[in-house]
Amino acid sequence: SMIKSIIFDIGGVLLNIHPDRTYQYLSDTIDIDVKSIESRFPWEAHCEYERGRITNREWFEIFRDSLPQPCCLKEKDFWNAWRLLLGQEKPTAQLLKKISKNYSTWLLSNTNPKHIQDEIEKRYLFPNLVDGAIYSFDVDCRKPEEKIYRILLNQIGIKPEQCVFIDDLIDNVHAAEKVGIIGIHFLSYDHLIEDLLKIGVSIS
């Protein structure tokens, strides 16, 4: 097999994600119903936050200001809620450990500095198992933009056809395939094993 590197998305692939817990915590803290918080989530600003274009403090303020006013949300409570988004490591993290013995392994994630620096690098095993990581906030672009995959290939120093990229969002997989990377749509742990074996990745 010509495959040399296997790249993992984080949320939904290596980690369980729980937006419902975040919304519920906020709802309990500021007494605004969950649906109202969810419907007002400032997605556009969130994309900018994931591109590293706005600071942690600015993200909190934009989020607070998007809620029904007057709003008494404290910054400390907001970050507590934000932390609850990230759940347990999935069994895929153990698979990554096995794969990293025979292949170069990388992370490619749309994420934000708060989750990476305060949570992911402190709470989880998998960041210590990989050869490198491309985080959207470091490179001013997000999946499924072509640019982020080009940056990844450049960083690894590898041809696209020597790479496998695993993501739970099909648009991100298709975007990787457009630049010549082998894409796997993550559906479940068992599916992933099957898909990897099918393309000749050795798992031992």
Side-chain angles (χ1 to χ4, degrees):
S1 170
M2 284 298 296
I3 294 164
K4 294 187 175 169
S5 190
I6 301 180
I7 298 113
F8 290 79
D9 169 41
I10 297 180
V13 174
L14 292 168
L15 277 190
N16 288 308
I17 297 292
H18 302 284
D20 51 312
R21 290 183 187 173
T22 295
Y23 295 137
Q24 191 59 59
Y25 184 94
L26 288 168
S27 174
D28 294 344
T29 306
I30 55 178
D31 200 25
I32 294 172
D33 69 285
V34 169
K35 278 197 169 59
S36 194
I37 295 170
E38 197 174 343
S39 69
R40 288 163 178 265
F41 189 93
W43 285 108
E44 214 168 292
H46 183 250
C47 288
E48 292 295 280
Y49 183 41
E50 287 193 332
R51 285 195 177 91
R53 293 177 187 173
I54 63 177
T55 64
N56 290 330
R57 173 78 195 178
E58 286 166 335
W59 168 235
F60 157 66
E61 288 171 351
I62 290 165
F63 193 101
R64 181 196 59 202
D65 296 347
S66 74
L67 297 169
Q69 299 299 319
C71 174
C72 59
L73 179 61
K74 294 187 179 77
E75 189 168 5
K76 179 172 71 79
D77 290 328
F78 173 70
W79 294 123
N80 284 340
W82 197 239
R83 191 171 70 234
L84 292 173
L85 253 171
L86 306 179
Q88 295 292 318
E89 278 187 337
K90 294 167 84 79
T92 326
Q94 289 305 315
L95 176 66
L96 165 60
K97 193 176 184 178
K98 282 185 191 171
I99 285 175
S100 61
K101 290 172 192 162
N102 302 315
Y103 299 89
S104 118
T105 51
W106 282 68
L107 304 173
L108 179 64
S109 179
N110 289 348
T111 186
N112 59 82
K114 198 78 175 160
H115 275 159
I116 294 300
Q117 291 148 14
D118 291 6
E119 304 303 327
I120 286 172
E121 288 175 351
K122 290 179 182 169
R123 279 166 60 184
Y124 301 104
L125 174 70
F126 67 83
N128 306 306
L129 301 173
V130 295
D131 297 294
I134 303 292
Y135 298 135
S136 57
F137 67 87
D138 281 330
V139 292
D140 186 29
C141 53
R142 298 168 76 254
K143 300 175 292 186
E145 293 160 33
E146 183 181 322
K147 186 183 169 192
I148 201 164
Y149 301 95
R150 299 276 177 213
I151 290 169
L152 173 83
L153 293 169
N154 205 26
Q155 281 284 104
I156 304 176
I158 202 168
K159 292 179 185 149
E161 63 274 15
Q162 297 174 316
C163 272
V164 179
F165 171 61
I166 303 156
D167 199 300
D168 61 325
L169 297 180
I170 194 72
D171 287 355
N172 295 343
V173 175
H174 287 159
E177 289 170 339
K178 268 189 191 145
V179 301
I181 295 168
I182 301 161
I184 292 179
H185 183 210
F186 181 84
L187 299 167
S188 70
Y189 180 79
D190 293 340
H191 263 107
L192 176 59
I193 301 278
E194 273 174 40
D195 289 341
L196 288 168
L197 292 173
K198 235 180 252 172
I199 55 173
V201 171
S202 75
I203 299 163
S204 56

